[in-house]
């Protein structure tokens, strides 16, 4: 992947002009990064690694079963500026990790932050948003409160700050943690070209199997229907129908998500930036596909069931 040759320099803005060290539990990923001239370490090499190399870090957990536990991470990285690519929460494969790294090499983090600031401004000043494109036509009326997923409003990661790559890629609104009811009303038709399935590290040993079954079900659903889009009708922030081609499968899809989170659309998020949708590989369950552009909506929270993101990359603000 020749794109990886520029990966270190593309990430310098996040690390105050320095190139980071890449750390992963996957020996194969570490080997590929080294072949492209990047500084990379396996977690098993941390005891013999110069601490100065761990001050600016890109962490790439590929499998939670082989990623060190929290106390070990804290010991080595408590004072690090860290960017996390949570591959393990999605596909958990070397292929998925390299796919994410390839996109990261191409991305302009400053432009992402500009996009974050744009959407934050919209949320502050526009109580009503209409979003259209690619068959999607939804209206969102914001409430007096919004729950945001900690978007990155500035490009630099400070020492001691750990940042998920998603914080650069999207501005996501989620339901209140105390109640499944979101602080907004969404109504309309949402047409998804692709989907992403995630699970949280918490209870990963139990939820991973559910997430994998969800991915398999949705993949087979679209294949049976000649890769037709997934269409969701939303009323009062509730999904009231979900179809793909000739099949109506809302009840089936909701069996995969958290029992107490399935009544409402639990998240909707705006992509902070865009890149060519022709390059998207929807066969890879990747966080980058979630924020490829446009709008995505989420079902479930990924803790006691799968979190499903449906992605409409051609949506724009009307």
């Amino acid at each position: 992947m020749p794109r990886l040759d520029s990966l270190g320099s593309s990430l310098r803005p996040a690390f105050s002009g320095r190139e980071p060290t890449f750390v992963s539990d996957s020996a194969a990923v570490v080997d590929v990064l080294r072949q492209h001239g990047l500084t990379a370490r396996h977690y098993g090499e941390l005891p013999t690694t110069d601490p100065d190399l761990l001050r600016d870090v890109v962490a790439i957990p590929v499998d939670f079963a082989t990623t060190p536990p929290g106390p070990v991470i804290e010991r080595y990285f408590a004072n690090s500026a860290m960017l996390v690519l949570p591959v393990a929460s999605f596909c958990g494969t070397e292929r998925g990790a390299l796919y994410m790294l390839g996109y990261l090499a191409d991305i302009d983090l400053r432009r992402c932050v500009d996009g974050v600031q744009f959407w934050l401004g919209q949320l502050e000043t526009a109580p009503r948003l209409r979003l259209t494109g690619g068959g999607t036509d939804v209206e969102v009326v914001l409430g007096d409160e919004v729950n945001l997923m900690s978007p990155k409003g500035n490009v630099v990661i400070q020492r001691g700050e750990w940042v998920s790559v998603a914080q650069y890629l999207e501005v996501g609104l989620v339901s209140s943690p105390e109640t499944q009811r979101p602080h907004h009303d969404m109504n309309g038709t949402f047409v998804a070209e692709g989907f992403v399935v995630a699970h949280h590290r918490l209870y990963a040993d139990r939820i991973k199997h559910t997430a994998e079954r969800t991915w398999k079900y949705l993949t087979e659903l679209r294949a049976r229907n000649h890769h037709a889009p997934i269409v969701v009708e939303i009323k009062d922030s509730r999904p009231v129908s979900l179809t793909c081609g000739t099949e109506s499968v809302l009840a089936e899809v909701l069996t995969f998500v958290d029992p107490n989170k399935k009544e409402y659309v639990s998240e909707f998020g705006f992509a902070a930036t865009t890149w060519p949708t022709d390059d998207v590989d929807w066969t890879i369950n990747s966080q980058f596909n979630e924020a490829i552009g446009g709008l995505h909506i989420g079902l479930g929270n990924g803790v006691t069931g799968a979190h499903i993101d449906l992605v409409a990359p051609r949506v724009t603000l009307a």
Side-chain angles (χ1 to χ4, degrees), residues 48-286:
T48 58
T49 298
D50 183 345
D52 284 344
L53 290 178
L54 303 180
R55 293 166 65 83
D56 302 288
V57 171
V58 177
I60 314 164
V62 174
D63 186 340
F64 288 136
T66 54
T67 302
V72 175
I73 300 295
E74 184 75 23
R75 182 193 318 160
Y76 288 104
F77 304 113
N79 298 313
S80 301
M82 181 188 290
L83 177 65
V84 182
L85 273 62
V87 180
S89 289
F90 294 85
C91 61
T93 65
E94 174 195 351
R95 177 180 175 226
L98 295 176
Y99 179 77
M100 289 185 73
L101 288 165
Y103 268 118
L104 194 58
D106 290 345
I107 209 163
D108 184 338
L109 294 179
R110 293 188 183 92
R111 184 179 173 192
C112 288
V113 170
D114 289 343
V116 166
Q117 295 289 2
F118 169 80
W119 284 114
L120 291 177
Q122 292 296 312
L123 296 174
E124 288 176 1
T125 60
R128 185 185 302 267
L129 303 173
R130 187 179 175 203
L131 300 136
T132 62
T136 293
D137 190 343
V138 296
E139 184 176 72
V140 179
V141 179
L142 300 175
D144 293 334
E145 301 177 52
V146 291
N147 279 7
L148 295 176
M149 298 176 63
S150 302
K152 195 78 172 78
N154 55 80
V155 70
V156 175
I157 305 172
Q158 302 296 330
R159 292 281 161 75
E161 183 183 12
W162 298 357
V163 173
S164 169
V165 69
Q167 293 173 245
Y168 285 102
L169 298 179
E170 64 179 278
V171 176
L173 283 80
V174 293
S175 300
S176 166
E178 291 80 24
T179 172
Q180 58 180 312
R181 175 82 193 184
H183 294 300
H184 57 265
D185 283 320
M186 174 182 282
N187 291 277
T189 301
F190 184 89
V191 180
E193 295 184 26
F195 57 88
V196 172
V197 178
H199 65 282
H200 200 282
R201 179 167 187 162
L202 187 66
Y203 310 126
D205 55 340
R206 186 174 68 194
I207 303 305
K208 180 180 179 181
H209 178 62
T210 300
E212 290 172 344
R213 288 192 300 113
T214 306
W215 176 263
K216 184 173 184 289
Y217 176 85
L218 292 173
T219 299
E220 292 176 349
L221 172 69
R222 292 202 68 201
R224 285 196 307 272
N225 288 279
H226 309 287
H227 300 285
I230 295 173
V231 181
V232 186
E233 297 294 337
I234 302 167
K235 184 176 181 180
D236 297 329
S237 295
R238 292 178 171 91
V240 295
S241 76
L242 190 153
T243 58
C244 181
T246 61
E247 297 187 57
S248 180
V249 292
L250 178 63
E252 290 83 349
V253 170
L254 292 183
T255 62
F256 294 109
V257 305
D258 315 69
N260 64 335
K261 292 288 184 182
K262 68 182 183 181
E263 184 176 353
Y264 293 98
V265 174
S266 59
E267 173 197 355
F268 75 93
F270 309 102
T273 188
T274 60
W275 50 89
T277 53
D278 291 343
D279 291 343
V280 181
D281 188 343
W282 292 113
T283 69
I284 299 178
N285 185 17
S286 173

Side-chain angles (χ1 to χ4, degrees), residues 1-11 19-43 45 57-62 83 85 87 94 96-105:
M1 296 182 67
R3 296 158 73 183
L4 296 186
D5 292 341
S6 62
L7 180 57
S9 58
S10 73
L11 293 177
E19 290 200 11
T21 296
F22 297 82
V23 180
S24 181
D25 57 311
S26 167
V29 169
V30 169
D31 286 345
V32 170
L33 291 168
R34 287 174 174 168
Q35 290 167 15
H36 287 270
L38 298 162
T39 302
R41 295 290 185 273
H42 188 274
Y43 281 115
E45 298 174 300
V57 171
V58 177
I60 314 164
V62 174
L83 177 65
L85 273 62
V87 180
E94 174 195 351
L98 295 176
Y99 179 77
M100 289 185 73
L101 288 165
Y103 268 118
L104 194 58

